[in-house]
Amino acid sequence: MFVVSWISRGPYGGLDWTWTGENYVRLLDSLVLGIFLKSFGYALGTTLVCGLLGFPLAYCIARSSKSWQQWLLILVMIPFWTNFLVRTYAWVLIFRADGVVNGFLKILGQDPISLLFTDFSVCVGLVYGYLPFMVLPLVSALERIPIQVEEAARDLFATRLEALWHVVVPLSRPGWVAGSVLVFIPSLGAFITPYLLGGGQSLMIGTLIQQEFLVARDWPFGAALSFGLMAVILMLWGWLGRKPEEQSMI
Amino acid sequence: MEICVKLDRVSKHHGATVAVDQVSLEVRRGEFFSLLGPSGSGKTTLLRLIAGLDYPDKGQIYIQQTLVNALPPDKRPVNLVFQHYALFPHLTVFDNVAFGLKMRGESRGKIQSAVGNMLEMVRLQGKAQRFPNELSGGEQQRVALARALVNEPVVVLLDEPMAALDQELRQNMHEELKRLQQELQATFICVTHQQDEALMLSDRLAVMSGGSVLQVGTPQEIYRSPQSFAVAKFIGLSNFATGTVVRMENEICWVHREGLPPLKFLRPVSARASELVTIMIRPERLVLDAEPIRPAYDNVIPGTLEKIVFNGGETLCYVRLPTDLTWVIRVSNTTALPSSLCAGQRVHVQWQAADGGILPTHVSL
């Protein structure tokens, strides 16, 4: 792949073995950069929403009794038993013009709304697909926080929310980091979800790579895109992995 | 004297088991009050009820005359020192101690000076910027104390404060705890299962068992005149025997036990003739000698010296009495044990009427 990314595309989509850096120059094209940025935005948004939804869920699971915990974790994992493509396609059925949501609105006497092939539908699909990857590391991080530490915060005049914010959230940091990486990276490169739920409207970097390989048959550029994505991810990884400055609370 | 915390017939169930059963207590301002009992006696639950980390099923809890039954922990003017300290591992010593003040919305200046003073008081000035995992066990405990005390709570609650410390450190912390309590004139309620700790530190203590309070009193009262077999058995070492009250005469009553001569005791108010009772004598109140020393002692029982155990400052002598009871006698090593005594020898156990006690009986010994 790396070698392919440094050669030219043949006239009919094959490989022409002349060395060139042109594929990487094309990455800086405003259209490509725009798609990169957009994918970035989607991935960031997905990670944030997964965090916001995942934390309460993970907290409830981590603080429930052992027997409940098992069942709740199974519920989180049940969707994995089905193919990802099928699950994403289920959202198409829910969102499309004559889908479940609009059917429901019709019963209520409301006008139908267009949901499929919007930013919203892509985001829902991405969050739905990657939420468990946020929840599971958070559960294991939250489980390691002794309940007494939380009680100590409550005893020291913190309300329930303040105790969560000042004690539980910072102490579950390893879970946040792992969960964010696990959600951010696959959603940055996602291609099924934006393809099925975003249609032509929301081209993401993953979809672009897939198209370069399979539709446009421009393997060298597709390869260059892949390595560009990988470089970005590695840089982010390095940035997340560095030890944060310990800072005083007041 | 002003009452700081008042519990009125408080009960708490954990599922089907009764953790706290109809407990009524009053803790006075400025006193060191201990809840003493074996594990599972409900003392920690009682502490959590006062802190607001659990809510009572029945009964009322008052803090400074205010009913606090439904108040959440952050609205109660009490602070708890947790058994394993529960320090915030992501915060420095300074921020740990400042947490309560910060949550209460105190000004930066006030927090700086109050935390500074408190760290000085617990001798941790140099460690303000350390993290809890960089401290020794004793230092962590002082941070936990400072974190509670800095808020100047109406009551400081301590849950087994010494449990996680080794023996030597424990001695130092006893003094430290008492010093802090007296310097700050704070009210402490301390849960412990260590009777020596409770006896040494407390102004008053409550002995608990099975979710109930058995007796409340000063350490002297509890040790010298326990009111039940359970308290006598739990606090210190005691010799027991069951018997029947046979005769009462003014302040004196005689108790009969098969195989022993009539035993003379001071008459408790509640005693009734022919009542079944348990007699109790502390080992240090008994005198051991080869021959009876009459008329110096009111009660004399013959027996066989079974075993002599040297224990540093004292010697424990185990004597088998005619009724198949084995009693222990504590002989201080300041006065040498009569050198003639050796295991297997016939001896006499003797004591004054005032040195024994009579308890309502629940057991047969």
Side-chain angles (χ1 to χ4, degrees):
Chain A
M1 282 278 283
F2 187 67
V3 175
V4 169
S5 72
W6 289 98
I7 63 177
S8 307
R9 174 187 180 231
Y12 303 105
L15 301 175
D16 186 355
W17 288 91
T18 46
W19 298 105
T20 173
E22 195 202 336
N23 295 315
Y24 284 96
V25 177
R26 278 175 69 195
L27 290 184
L28 301 176
D29 182 282
S30 64
L31 209 65
V32 177
L33 276 184
I35 291 172
F36 255 107
L37 271 181
K38 192 172 178 182
S39 307
F40 224 83
Y42 271 124
L44 210 61
T46 305
T47 311
L48 282 177
V49 175
C50 278
L52 286 178
L53 293 178
F55 181 75
L57 192 58
Y59 183 78
C60 289
I61 294 174
R63 287 285 181 250
S64 56
S65 68
K66 281 281 163 257
S67 52
W68 265 102
Q69 200 168 32
Q70 276 181 5
W71 286 109
L72 291 172
L73 281 175
I74 287 174
L75 281 182
V76 170
M77 286 188 284
I78 275 178
F80 286 115
W81 298 352
T82 317
N83 183 287
F84 185 65
L85 195 62
V86 175
R87 281 187 285 140
T88 309
Y89 203 74
W91 282 106
V92 176
L93 298 181
I94 293 173
F95 282 149
R96 69 180 180 192
D98 55 348
V100 176
V101 175
N102 280 325
F104 195 66
L105 285 176
K106 203 169 168 185
I107 293 169
L108 292 177
Q110 303 280 326
D111 289 333
I113 48 174
S114 71
L115 290 165
L116 198 55
F117 307 139
T118 58
D119 288 350
F120 174 76
S121 61
V122 176
C123 277
V124 168
L126 288 173
V127 168
Y128 166 78
Y130 299 120
L131 189 58
F133 296 111
M134 181 62 88
V135 171
L136 296 179
L138 271 180
V139 168
S140 79
L142 287 170
E143 265 188 320
R144 278 188 217 120
I145 304 174
I147 185 88
Q148 287 83 353
V149 174
E150 226 180 304
E151 288 180 341
R154 297 279 282 131
D155 181 63
L156 291 163
F157 316 118
T159 61
R160 219 170 260 281
L161 278 177
E162 284 172 331
L164 284 178
W165 181 246
H166 290 292
V167 173
V168 180
V169 169
L171 284 179
S172 52
R173 202 186 119 88
W176 290 107
V177 173
S180 300
V181 168
L182 287 177
V183 171
F184 184 83
I185 291 175
S187 45
L188 188 59
F191 72 93
I192 293 179
T193 315
Y195 183 72
L196 284 181
L197 297 175
Q201 317 293 315
S202 315
L203 200 56
M204 278 180 69
I205 193 73
T207 329
L208 182 64
I209 293 173
Q210 181 236 4
Q211 283 184 356
E212 289 303 327
F213 273 102
L214 299 179
V215 183
R217 299 196 61 77
D218 190 345
W219 288 21
F221 183 51
L225 279 170
S226 307
F227 278 100
L229 182 61
M230 207 188 280
V232 170
I233 288 170
L234 284 177
M235 279 190 298
L236 275 175
W237 193 299
W239 179 69
L240 275 175
R242 91 209 142 99
K243 199 166 165 55
E245 314 293 321
E246 311 285 10
Q247 42 185 285
S248 175
M249 233 174 48
I250 55 169
Chain B
M1 200 170 264
E2 197 187 339
I3 302 299
C4 232
V5 173
K6 183 178 163 191
L7 305 181
D8 186 16
R9 284 162 294 159
V10 169
S11 295
K12 173 73 185 175
H13 300 252
H14 286 317
T17 54
V18 186
V20 170
D21 189 16
Q22 299 261 345
V23 167
S24 295
L25 273 182
E26 287 183 346
V27 178
R28 300 166 189 157
R29 169 166 302 288
E31 84 178 332
F32 196 122
F33 191 93
S34 288
L35 296 169
L36 176 64
S39 51
S41 59
K43 48 199 187 340
T44 296
T45 306
L46 206 55
L47 209 62
R48 291 174 59 86
L49 289 172
I50 299 171
L53 297 171
D54 275 326
Y55 295 101
D57 298 330
K58 277 189 219 134
Q60 276 83 44
I61 300 173
Y62 299 89
I63 297 173
Q64 284 190 317
Q65 282 87 49
T66 310
L67 184 67
V68 297
N69 272 28
L71 277 189
D74 51 300
K75 300 282 183 289
R76 298 193 188 194
V78 300
N79 288 114
L80 177 59
V81 177
F82 286 77
Q83 183 171 3
H84 299 288
Y85 317 141
L87 299 178
F88 305 124
H90 62 301
L91 299 179
T92 59
V93 167
F94 184 93
D95 287 334
N96 262 283
V97 177
F99 193 90
L101 297 173
K102 194 179 173 242
M103 288 300 124
R104 255 188 349 204
E106 302 287 357
S107 71
R108 267 175 103 105
K110 159 131 204 233
I111 293 176
Q112 286 284 352
S113 70
V115 174
N117 287 341
M118 188 44 69
L119 287 179
E120 203 168 308
M121 195 152 227
V122 297
R123 302 180 183 130
L124 283 171
Q125 309 88 303
K127 314 242 165 163
Q129 294 312 314
R130 300 283 186 90
F131 284 87
N133 63 3
E134 299 168 337
L135 302 178
S136 69
E139 287 169 338
Q140 289 185 16
Q141 205 223 22
R142 299 213 294 274
V143 176
L145 272 172
R147 189 174 71 169
L149 289 170
V150 76
N151 306 301
E152 295 173 5
V154 172
V155 188
V156 183
L157 307 168
L158 303 113
D159 188 6
E160 304 267 4
M162 306 296 169
L165 299 178
D166 56 43
Q167 196 58 46
E168 199 180 330
L169 217 50
R170 215 172 269 189
Q171 291 300 328
N172 297 335
M173 281 315 295
H174 281 156
E175 290 162 31
E176 188 93 3
L177 207 58
K178 193 75 191 170
R179 175 183 70 85
L180 282 169
Q181 190 252 338
Q182 283 167 350
E183 259 176 57
L184 297 166
Q185 300 186 315
T187 312
F188 276 28
I189 301 179
C190 178
V191 156
T192 181
H193 66 270
Q194 304 249 316
Q195 43 164 304
D196 54 342
E197 200 170 292
L199 293 176
M200 270 191 286
L201 294 173
S202 315
D203 296 314
R204 290 194 310 144
L205 61 130
V207 182
M208 291 191 69
S209 172
S212 306
V213 169
L214 301 176
Q215 191 175 348
V216 181
T218 64
Q220 290 83 350
E221 283 165 2
I222 299 273
Y223 187 79
R224 287 198 190 132
S225 34
Q227 277 155 20
S228 61
F229 176 71
V231 173
K233 198 167 161 60
F234 189 67
I235 309 284
L237 213 52
S238 273
N239 296 299
F240 299 103
T242 45
T244 316
V245 177
V246 285
R247 197 149 58 86
M248 291 190 289
E249 215 172 73
N250 300 328
E251 264 94 72
I252 300 297
C253 75
W254 274 270
V255 175
H256 175 255
R257 157 93 186 205
E258 196 66 43
L260 297 183
L263 302 171
K264 191 176 169 188
F265 287 91
L266 293 188
R267 176 185 169 182
V269 190
S270 60
R272 271 169 289 129
S274 63
E275 187 191 12
L276 204 62
V277 293
T278 304
I279 60 166
M280 170 210 128
I281 308 104
R282 295 287 185 193
E284 65 273 16
R285 298 283 178 170
L286 291 172
V287 174
L288 186 67
D289 212 331
E291 292 304 322
I293 316 167
R294 255 188 283 234
Y297 290 96
D298 294 329
N299 298 301
V300 178
I301 306 180
T304 312
L305 186 54
E306 261 192 342
K307 185 164 68 163
I308 301 174
V309 179
F310 178 74
N311 189 19
E314 64 198 19
T315 302
L316 298 178
C317 301
Y318 293 82
V319 174
R320 175 153 289 260
L321 303 183
T323 57
D324 261 10
L325 284 169
T326 302
W327 278 11
V328 58
I329 296 114
R330 191 177 270 156
V331 182
S332 166
N333 285 348
T334 51
T335 56
L337 198 66
S339 56
S340 57
L341 289 183
C342 58
Q345 194 188 336
R346 296 281 302 164
V347 289
H348 287 85
V349 176
Q350 35 215 316
W351 73 94
Q352 298 289 22
D355 288 339
I358 292 185
L359 310 169
T361 191
H362 295 293
V363 283
S364 135
L365 288 161

